[in-house]
Amino acid sequence: MIRAVDGITLQIPAGEFVALLGASGSGKSSLLNLLAGLDSPTAGSVIVENQSLSGLSREQLAKYRRHTVGMVFQSFNLIPSMTVLENVELPLRFAEVERNERGTLAMNALEKVGLGGRLKHRPIELSGGEQQRAALARALINQPRILLADEPTGNLDSRTGTEVMELIRGLNESLQMTVVLVTHERELAERYADRLIFLADGKVVADQPNPARTTAGAKS
Amino acid sequence: MKLYDSVELAARNLRESVLRNSLTTLGISVGVASLVAMLSLGIGLQQLASRRLQRSGLFDSIVVTSRRDLRGYNREQEESGPAPAESPDLNETARLKIVNVAGVVEVYPDLRFITDVRFDGKPHLTMVAGLPFSSKDGDSFEGMQGKFFSSEDAHEVILQKTFAAELMGKPTRGPEEINVADVARPLLGKQVEMRYTEREGSVQDAGSYSVISHEISLTIVGVTDLDPDSMRGSARARLFIPQKLTEGMRPMQAYDMRASNGVTSNEPIYSNVVARVSGAGKVDAVEQAIKKLGFNTFSILDATKSMRRFFAILDLFLGIFGSLALTVASIGIINTLVMAILERRREIGIMKAVGASDADVRGLFFAEAGAMGLLGGVCGTALGWIIGRAINFGTNIYLRRQGFPPEHIWAVPIWLVAGALGFSFLVSLLSGLYPASRAARLDPVQALRYE
């Protein structure tokens, strides 16, 4: 049996921006899926806001994913047959928000990420950066307290990658939203995260505050 | 997720693979159409048979006899109820009681007698029967030449065609060789003289009566194709006169002699009366009510029972054959939806990642199956209706060529439409059961990895 994540003990305080770093197959995405409630551990537990995810039913897990966490992925994961607006509205449908309210909320979210003019476009008609911003708007539409980002800049050029990361950092700072960023780019992690956690073979090999940001913070 | 959201998303998904989903829906349509066409044919034939039987006047009639009449003891005598000697007479008083039974439309005594009829100075012996005016609406006189009696007690007569042929002096051959129109043409409007014996009650002495011979003149108004040996109409009579006229004549009946031994008044006693009921369905209840009055009854309800059973079996088999096509169509739904799961695996993963529950995903696939079922049901019912009309049209062309009047052999009652829609919807939902639960159980991590 392969242990994707093995013997990890971590505590992430609310409002922290954490980067999970490691090479491919180090277990960082698996750890993120556990935090997202998409996967469940064979042993051990994931406790979010004093609630153990392993004690939740499938229905309760869906509710958790709907309201507590928001996810963005490397490949954006927008539904190609839906317009940008419909994609962003989707979590609100599952949350049973009324149609009118849903439209307004989704439009506002898209305005905030600078896509107010692309509401009726399909994902394929958007650039990578725009797609990731739409995905971010979708992740945030239900006002989650935790944002889980799995290589969000992996498919973007450095300029648009920076734009997206700036957006995420801004959310972390303005809304005190907890952010868990999975990346293999150390530079990116050092630029935005408060804390760097290094994984290898499913284990934590280092867990440290981001020296770059602490110094930057001390400097400012 | 709310139902209308599921439906909206389902509709969008169906539009995305429009060709495949249309073909699946077409499959359901064909299945529903075959079901509707088969059943509408079965129902149509049943209605046709019921209609013909209803109009024949046999199935809504009850023959009431007195228990005092011991001739049919073994056949008709009820074991319960009053003993023959204590049972009431079948007279006018009894007739009025029977008329008042709920569901009874009319009651008339079965009056018939054998007599001489003179035409062109020559005597002819025949059985004469009273014919109630309500027979006009039945189909016993379908194909009759001339017209029905002009009033309830008109001095008019309708002849059976073999008797008409006899009056014409034509050699009596089989009834099928006689053309009604040929024998009717020279006879209509002509007069016949009919002898009969009146039974006149004595005022002084109950139970005694006089017998007086009369002769009346009657105009021939119609010649009927009715076969006297068939069960239709007043059996074996070859000459019919209006029922009211017959009753007014008070003709001596064959059983008057026998009945005179037991009567306590000189009121005429009937051998049997016929009670006509408002519908074949009420025959049973009315029969029971009449039996309670102390009479014996007889109806041909059992024959309708076996007819209904036959049609129930026919409908069942037609339904099974029709359903086979729908079963094939439902496999089409399963196939389409299972394919859709494979194609939309990643989409399902995304939905789950953004908060869709198992029930949401299941509901979505159910809605897709249901939408295909409902749409297929609507198109299929319309198609079945068109097929039925085509069958009806074709059959009527054939019937007309064979010299028969057109018939309605096909019927789509509203319950069949509703039933077909409901059934197709239900079958589709059942077909969606497996794909939907499979989609709902999909592991989101695996699904998101799927390219």
Side-chain angles (χ1 to χ4, degrees):
Chain A
M1 193 175 78
I2 300 161
R3 287 171 186 257
V5 177
D6 190 11
I8 291 180
T9 307
L10 271 181
Q11 211 168 8
I12 301 170
E16 196 173 34
F17 194 134
V18 179
L20 297 177
L21 286 143
S24 286
S26 58
K28 50 190 195 306
S29 287
S30 300
L31 183 58
L32 199 73
N33 286 337
L34 290 175
L35 295 178
L38 287 171
D39 215 346
S40 49
T42 44
S45 60
V46 179
I47 297 168
V48 180
E49 295 180 338
N50 299 322
Q51 193 174 37
S52 169
L53 298 190
S54 46
L56 298 182
S57 65
R58 286 172 75 92
E59 178 66 41
Q60 285 168 322
L61 273 175
K63 206 171 168 190
Y64 163 79
R65 289 195 293 267
R66 206 181 298 148
H67 295 288
T68 311
V69 294
M71 280 195 95
V72 283
F73 306 86
Q74 179 177 355
S75 52
F76 324 128
N77 278 342
L78 294 168
I79 293 175
S81 60
M82 292 182 178
T83 64
V84 170
L85 184 67
E86 286 166 336
N87 264 290
V88 176
E89 264 187 75
L90 195 59
L92 295 174
R93 281 186 195 256
F94 299 131
E96 303 200 339
V97 175
E98 283 305 323
R99 185 190 292 263
N100 292 340
E101 197 186 341
R102 215 159 63 195
T104 318
L105 285 171
M107 273 194 276
N108 289 344
L110 282 163
E111 298 270 356
K112 272 184 200 156
V113 296
L115 288 176
R118 320 293 306 255
L119 303 178
K120 297 287 170 195
H121 287 74
R122 297 232 171 175
I124 198 147
E125 296 163 340
L126 265 53
S127 72
E130 286 171 324
Q131 287 191 53
Q132 195 58 295
R133 279 188 279 154
L136 196 59
R138 182 181 65 186
L140 300 172
I141 193 79
N142 271 329
Q143 296 168 309
R145 292 178 290 282
I146 304 164
L147 180 69
L148 305 172
D150 192 357
E151 305 266 13
T153 59
N155 280 353
L156 304 176
D157 58 59
S158 65
R159 195 177 60 81
T160 44
T162 309
E163 274 173 30
V164 168
M165 283 314 299
E166 288 295 337
L167 262 172
I168 294 176
R169 181 76 228 186
L171 288 164
N172 167 251
E173 283 170 354
S174 61
L175 302 172
Q176 290 303 298
M177 187 183 281
T178 311
V179 178
V180 181
L181 168 76
V182 162
T183 183
H184 59 270
E185 293 176 68
R186 184 164 182 165
E187 194 199 331
L188 189 81
E190 282 179 345
R191 200 175 333 151
Y192 296 103
D194 300 325
R195 179 177 161 193
L196 309 175
I197 299 170
F198 294 88
L199 289 130
D201 299 326
K203 292 189 170 71
V204 173
V205 289
D207 182 353
Q208 62 192 52
N210 183 0
R213 280 207 60 90
T214 353
T215 0
K219 274 180 192 164
S220 62
Chain B
M1 192 161 49
K2 286 187 174 138
L3 181 65
Y4 67 76
D5 277 326
S6 299
V7 173
E8 196 181 294
L9 283 183
R12 134 186 306 285
N13 288 334
L14 291 177
R15 275 200 305 271
E16 281 302 311
S17 321
V18 71
L19 179 66
R20 188 176 56 207
N21 292 321
S22 304
L23 288 173
T24 308
T25 308
L26 183 67
I28 303 164
S29 304
V30 172
V32 173
S34 78
L35 187 70
V36 168
M38 292 273 191
L39 284 179
S40 61
L41 193 66
I43 294 161
L45 288 173
Q46 184 171 4
Q47 285 182 356
L48 174 67
S50 302
R51 214 160 42 229
R52 305 286 314 191
L53 290 174
Q54 194 76 34
R55 284 172 61 203
S56 76
L58 286 176
F59 290 86
D60 55 5
S61 299
I62 300 167
V63 178
V64 184
T65 53
S66 168
R67 295 193 180 192
R68 291 173 166 270
D69 185 355
L70 297 178
R71 281 175 302 169
Y73 185 83
N74 290 331
R75 181 166 53 94
E76 294 169 27
Q77 185 69 37
E78 286 291 310
E79 288 188 2
S80 59
E86 291 160 1
S87 66
D89 285 326
L90 194 55
N91 51 18
E92 261 317 292
T93 319
R95 179 180 173 179
L96 288 173
K97 274 187 192 163
I98 297 168
V99 169
N100 289 330
V101 170
V104 173
V105 178
E106 65 171 346
V107 179
Y108 54 90
D110 181 15
L111 296 177
R112 58 185 62 211
F113 51 95
I114 294 171
T115 188
D116 263 2
V117 174
R118 299 185 77 82
F119 179 72
D120 260 1
K122 279 169 83 182
H124 302 271
L125 194 67
T126 189
M127 167 88 82
V128 176
L131 192 67
F133 209 65
S134 58
S135 307
K136 190 179 181 180
D137 308 321
D139 68 350
S140 302
F141 293 92
E142 203 175 73
M144 182 176 82
Q145 294 292 311
K147 53 184 176 34
F148 202 77
F149 304 129
S150 57
S151 72
E152 291 191 41
D153 55 357
H155 282 223
E156 288 168 348
V157 64
I158 292 174
L159 307 176
Q160 196 276 325
K161 68 176 181 182
T162 55
F163 189 62
E166 193 185 314
L167 293 188
M168 294 289 295
K170 289 189 179 170
T172 317
R173 291 168 297 179
E176 60 279 355
E177 286 176 40
I178 301 167
N179 186 310
V180 200
D182 288 348
V183 291
R185 213 173 300 120
L187 286 174
L188 290 177
K190 296 264 170 66
Q191 299 282 316
V192 290
E193 308 299 323
M194 186 183 77
R195 254 170 207 281
Y196 70 96
T197 43
E198 186 189 344
R199 173 196 195 280
E200 198 182 57
S202 154
V203 189
Q204 290 87 19
D205 186 10
S208 71
Y209 52 84
S210 323
V211 177
I212 308 158
S213 181
H214 290 285
E215 187 171 283
I216 54 167
S217 189
L218 301 161
T219 311
I220 301 171
V221 290
V223 177
T224 166
D225 207 2
L226 206 67
D227 179 0
D229 293 331
S230 78
M231 284 178 70
R232 309 202 295 179
S234 301
R236 298 207 165 261
R238 297 200 295 165
L239 195 150
F240 304 96
I241 53 177
Q243 178 73 21
K244 280 271 158 62
L245 177 69
T246 323
E247 285 176 33
M249 282 157 49
R250 279 167 295 162
M252 181 83 183
Q253 297 287 292
Y255 52 83
D256 277 345
M257 284 292 285
R258 198 171 51 243
S260 59
N261 292 330
V263 291
T264 48
S265 76
N266 53 24
E267 221 187 323
I269 306 284
Y270 304 124
S271 161
N272 56 63
V273 299
V274 178
R276 205 161 59 78
V277 181
S278 56
K282 289 183 185 156
V283 168
D284 213 18
V286 171
E287 262 196 280
Q288 294 311 316
I290 296 174
K291 276 179 182 157
K292 277 204 188 110
L293 294 175
F295 300 103
N296 291 338
T297 60
F298 174 71
S299 71
I300 320 178
L301 187 70
D302 285 346
T304 55
K305 269 184 193 151
S306 58
M307 185 193 85
R308 281 201 293 269
R309 191 163 55 236
F310 166 75
F311 277 107
I313 293 168
L314 181 72
D315 284 348
L316 180 71
F317 276 95
L318 289 175
I320 287 171
F321 284 124
S323 305
L324 281 180
L326 200 57
T327 310
V328 175
S330 71
I331 295 170
I333 297 182
I334 298 175
N335 180 48
T336 300
L337 289 180
V338 169
M339 288 296 292
I341 292 173
L342 288 177
E343 267 181 15
R344 300 203 325 244
R345 219 183 175 123
R346 193 181 175 84
E347 192 177 311
I348 295 165
I350 296 170
M351 286 186 180
K352 288 200 159 184
V354 302
S357 64
D358 290 2
D360 290 332
V361 176
R362 197 181 299 121
L364 189 57
F365 275 80
F366 258 141
E368 286 179 35
M372 283 194 277
L374 211 56
L375 195 65
V378 170
C379 297
T381 309
L383 193 64
W385 187 79
I386 292 167
I387 292 172
R389 288 223 73 140
I391 291 174
N392 206 39
F393 184 69
T395 313
N396 278 336
I397 289 177
Y398 176 77
L399 281 177
R400 243 176 259 128
R401 282 208 184 135
Q402 298 294 313
F404 293 108
E407 287 289 359
H408 228 72
I409 58 158
W410 159 89
V412 184
I414 192 79
W415 65 260
L416 181 64
V417 173
L421 291 180
F423 190 56
S424 132
F425 186 60
L426 200 72
V427 165
S428 305
L429 286 185
L430 281 176
S431 308
L433 211 59
Y434 167 70
S437 67
R438 196 173 139 169
R441 281 200 316 267
L442 219 58
D443 174 14
V445 176
Q446 295 280 336
L448 281 170
R449 242 177 241 152
Y450 188 81
E451 289 297 332

